[in-house]
Structures are given as C-alpha cells and as structure tokens.
Amino acid sequence: MKYLICNLKANKLKDDITLYEENIRNIADDSNIEFIICPPTPFLYLFQNNNYKLGSQDVSQFSNGSYTGENTAEQLSSLKVKYVLVGHSERRNLLNEDESAIINKIKKAYHSHMRPIYFIGEQNTSKEESEANKILERQISHIINEVPDYKREKLIIVYEPLWAIGTGLTPTLSEITTRINFIKKIIKEYYDLSLPVLYGGSVNENNIDELITVGMLDGFVVGGSSLETEALRKIYKKIQKNI
Ligand code: PGA
C-alpha cells in the first residue's frame, strides 16, 4: 500500500474548490494507493465523495464544548474525516505548537477513530547527519512513548525537512534514503513496529520519477503541486506505475 496525501493548506475559495473537488473525483482508480485529500477546514463538507479519503489539516486539543474557533475530533469525524495531520512544521513554527499540544491532538484523533499523520524533520539545511538523526529520534520517541501500545501501529510518519517545503528544493535521493532508513530502524528497534514512512517537501510531477525510486518510501505528501488537478493526476499515475 502506498499513500498519496494532498495538503491543500490555506488555499482556494469556495467556487474554485468546488470545481477542484469535481476534477479530482476520477483520479483514484487503484486500491493499492490510499489517496487522501486534506482541504481547508471550512470546505471539508464539500469533500464527501467516496473516490478519495478525507483528511483534516488540524484537530483541536479539546473535546466539544466552550472552545471558540476550535474544530474538534468529534466534529471532524462526523464529516467523514479519517486522517489528521499533526506536527506540521508550519503549525510548529507559525502557531507555536509544541510537543504537548501535538500529543493531545494525536490522542483526540485516536479517540474519534481517525489516524494521525505525524510530521517530523530537521529545521535547517545543516546536513550534519548525527544532528539530524538526534532531532528525528527525539521527535519520534517523544510522541510514540505517549501513545498506548495498541494504537501505535495506526500512526503514519512523514519525513519533511523544513527547508524543502514549498522551496522547490529536495534532499538528494541518498539523503532521503539515509533518513528513511534511520527512522524505520528506530521505530523497529525501540518499539518493534513497522509504520508507514512518507516523504514530503517540494514533491511535484517532475521529481516524483526520481523520488519513487527510493523503494522503502511508503508514499508522499504533496502541498503546492496538489493544487493543480493535472499535476496531481500525473503524480498519482506515476506512483501507480511504480507499485
Ligand atoms: P510542498 O508542501 O509540497 O508545497 O513543499 C508540502 C507540505 O508542507 O506538506
């Protein structure tokens, strides 16, 4: 099973996104690819078709109640949301989301039977391997230690270095291979788990050919390139060809 996760971020207005939803309905035709669309929260209700799975870009740390402006796990789940992004670097950096918030969000997602998609990655371009490994190890263990054993296998990990997001820059294939290997090794050695590990950061219809050659990757998160239906279709088809 490969994952293709589309993170639309805070893009598009109602008319445009209505058309977008119609255009992406016929992309997915392979049960070996889990095709997940994460629209902006106000438009989740427009994505109720069965040809894709629905993800939320965020979830509240709170349950239903007096929390002005929040979108709770129970509410998202009632809109057919099956996946939730947590720990994205844009939320860590721009909204000061710390690890305790991330842990609370993961718990809320589980409680409403949604799968958390957890983002990790080094923040700067420093390619110093031991430094990057230390960061990844900490980001993984802080979270997994807080998740009850029987729920751990539902976690999906995304390796997404901050400097690769929306910049057109990607790590080299050998850097990605090294990082993904390291992440999988830690998860296996420490927790005896084999979780899906995905790559995200400037994935597009051109570099996907190269990126899919990193065999141990379980899929991709696509931001900017998922906004264009035809680019997204190409990415899907290329992944499909390579399965
Ligand atoms: P990008 O975003 O594909 O535009 O780099 C990916 C992400 O931030 O999830």
Side-chain angles (χ1 to χ4, degrees):
M1 164 75 75
K2 297 281 181 195
Y3 294 82
L4 176 55
I5 301 177
C6 304
N7 179 8
L8 273 55
K9 308 193 182 184
N11 289 297
K12 296 190 184 286
L13 306 182
K14 188 180 171 197
D15 288 351
D16 189 18
I17 207 153
T18 303
L19 195 63
Y20 176 89
E21 194 278 333
E22 283 166 15
N23 287 337
I24 58 154
R25 275 187 204 168
N26 64 358
I27 290 183
D29 57 2
D30 194 326
S31 58
N32 293 313
I33 303 177
E34 186 77 338
F35 185 47
I36 304 168
I37 308 289
C38 306
T41 306
F43 303 130
L44 278 170
Y45 75 100
L46 294 170
F47 287 74
Q48 300 292 302
N49 207 277
N50 288 330
N51 297 25
Y52 45 76
K53 297 281 166 50
L54 194 53
S56 173
Q57 296 177 22
D58 185 34
V59 62
S60 175
Q61 300 185 55
F62 304 106
S63 297
N64 280 359
S66 301
Y67 302 103
T68 304
E70 290 295 283
N71 299 295
T72 66
E74 298 95 312
Q75 292 169 329
L76 296 172
S77 176
S78 75
L79 284 167
K80 289 195 180 172
V81 171
K82 299 279 182 261
Y83 295 89
V84 177
L85 310 186
V86 276
H88 193 285
S89 59
E90 284 158 10
R91 296 201 65 88
R92 289 187 199 253
N93 295 325
L94 301 172
L95 294 144
N96 297 323
E97 260 181 26
D98 59 12
E99 265 158 11
S100 86
I102 292 169
I103 289 164
N104 289 337
K105 289 177 177 210
I106 288 178
K107 288 182 177 165
K108 290 295 180 206
Y110 277 129
H111 195 251
S112 290
H113 311 289
M114 299 183 289
R115 279 183 84 173
I117 298 168
Y118 174 51
F119 287 74
I120 59 174
E122 70 273 19
Q123 304 271 309
N124 58 34
T125 36
S126 147
K127 305 272 170 62
E128 183 53 59
E129 194 168 317
S130 61
E131 199 46 42
N133 284 352
K134 241 188 254 163
I135 294 167
L136 295 175
E137 186 171 347
R138 205 205 63 227
Q139 290 173 331
I140 292 168
S141 54
H142 274 199
I143 296 303
I144 299 192
N145 288 339
E146 295 290 330
V147 175
D149 284 7
Y150 69 100
K151 288 184 172 163
R152 287 177 177 170
E153 63 188 25
K154 292 275 181 226
L155 206 53
I156 296 170
I157 309 276
V158 182
Y159 169 63
E160 190 168 271
L162 177 82
W163 54 269
I165 300 175
T167 57
L169 302 171
T170 54
T172 64
L173 294 187
S174 101
E175 280 161 0
I176 296 179
T177 305
T178 308
R179 299 282 194 274
I180 301 297
N181 256 331
F182 177 77
I183 294 165
K184 291 203 167 192
K185 191 177 121 221
I186 294 270
I187 295 171
K188 185 77 196 160
E189 274 179 13
Y190 292 7
Y191 304 102
D192 197 23
L193 286 170
S194 307
L195 302 179
V197 182
L198 283 52
Y199 170 78
S202 292
V203 176
N204 60 41
E205 70 272 35
N206 300 315
N207 62 21
I208 189 73
D209 293 308
E210 269 206 322
L211 292 168
I212 41 187
T213 64
V214 180
M216 82 271 281
L217 273 177
D218 297 295
F220 301 92
V221 174
V222 185
S225 297
S226 69
L227 298 170
E228 288 293 329
T229 327
E230 285 320 302
L232 181 57
R233 192 184 307 278
K234 280 186 193 150
I235 293 171
Y236 185 96
K237 292 292 168 208
K238 288 181 176 185
I239 294 173
Q240 184 175 33
K241 246 196 206 153
N242 211 263
I243 291 179

